[in-house]
Amino acid sequence: MRAFRTLALLPLTLLMLLATPAVADGLFQVEVIVFRQAGEPVPASQPAPDDWAQGAPSIDLGSERGTALNSEAAKLTAANGYQVLLHKAWSQSLSGSPSRVALSSGGEQFGHFPVEGTLSLRLARFIDVEADLWVNQFDASGLLQGSERLKQDSRLKSGELTYLDHGSLGLLIRVKPL
């Protein structure tokens, strides 16, 4: 009787597998906008560590792409209570294994940037993202005096713009196949 039930469920199982949209490994365009929201900055309990990239490779010049979320970035103005801190787009290969990149913006001061951090992406039925970004403040001599941190995980739909909110910082991200 058990074998009969298993055989009866086989066509239903196959139908569900065929109906599930599969996302294949491949090349994707990743675009992020990091911005500060109105209000007081929410400082992290400690400043960004010296090894903020944790061995993640930087985005190489050959993979940088033109930004497409320019109209969204244009709405994040001081008049609306926002300040864009980083806006980048690049191509990145994604698979079932996490793929991390180091992001930075602004001039380097003693190994730190005004905006720095890592973004890890993993491709499954959805796209899993882990963002760990630091917004740093420097004193007059260029030494790191304090940081804000946006650390958040989320699940994205391919091609869909997603907003991650964290204290006084926000992140818009879109990952779409090329």
Side-chain angles (χ1 to χ4, degrees):
M1 185 66 145
R2 184 179 209 159
F4 179 71
R5 277 189 294 204
T6 303
L7 285 175
L9 291 175
L10 185 61
L12 180 60
T13 304
L14 289 172
L15 181 63
M16 287 175 52
L17 287 173
L18 293 174
T20 303
V23 180
D25 295 359
L27 195 60
F28 288 75
Q29 176 165 326
V30 181
E31 186 167 356
V32 297
I33 302 172
V34 178
F35 58 95
R36 178 174 281 122
Q37 302 179 62
E40 289 295 315
V42 179
S45 59
Q46 54 190 335
D50 289 338
D51 67 339
W52 60 268
Q54 301 172 357
S58 296
I59 300 166
D60 64 41
L61 294 176
S63 64
E64 287 187 15
R65 302 185 65 85
T67 56
L69 298 174
N70 298 324
S71 63
E72 288 80 357
K75 295 174 187 174
L76 299 170
T77 64
N80 292 330
Y82 302 102
Q83 177 189 6
V84 173
L85 304 171
L86 176 143
H87 185 188
K88 287 192 177 194
W90 67 93
S91 60
Q92 184 174 345
S93 291
L94 300 182
S95 68
S97 299
S99 173
R100 259 181 13 161
V101 295
L103 300 173
S104 62
S105 178
E108 181 180 359
Q109 298 185 47
F110 300 109
H112 288 281
F113 296 86
V115 180
E116 61 191 17
T118 61
L119 195 67
S120 177
L121 298 165
R122 185 179 71 83
L123 187 62
R125 181 171 176 185
F126 294 98
I127 299 167
D128 294 326
V129 62
E130 294 178 18
D132 190 5
L133 302 167
W134 300 86
V135 177
N136 299 316
Q137 294 82 37
F138 300 96
D139 65 16
S141 62
L143 294 174
L144 183 62
Q145 93 181 28
S147 302
E148 297 170 77
R149 186 178 191 187
L150 184 153
K151 183 174 173 75
Q152 195 161 348
D153 303 342
S154 187
R155 183 158 280 167
L156 314 174
K157 287 184 179 179
S158 181
E160 189 173 283
L161 183 62
T162 303
Y163 169 62
L164 303 178
D165 181 23
H166 195 276
S168 59
L169 301 173
L171 172 78
L172 290 171
I173 182 169
R174 184 170 66 190
V175 181
K176 64 179 187 173
L178 287 176

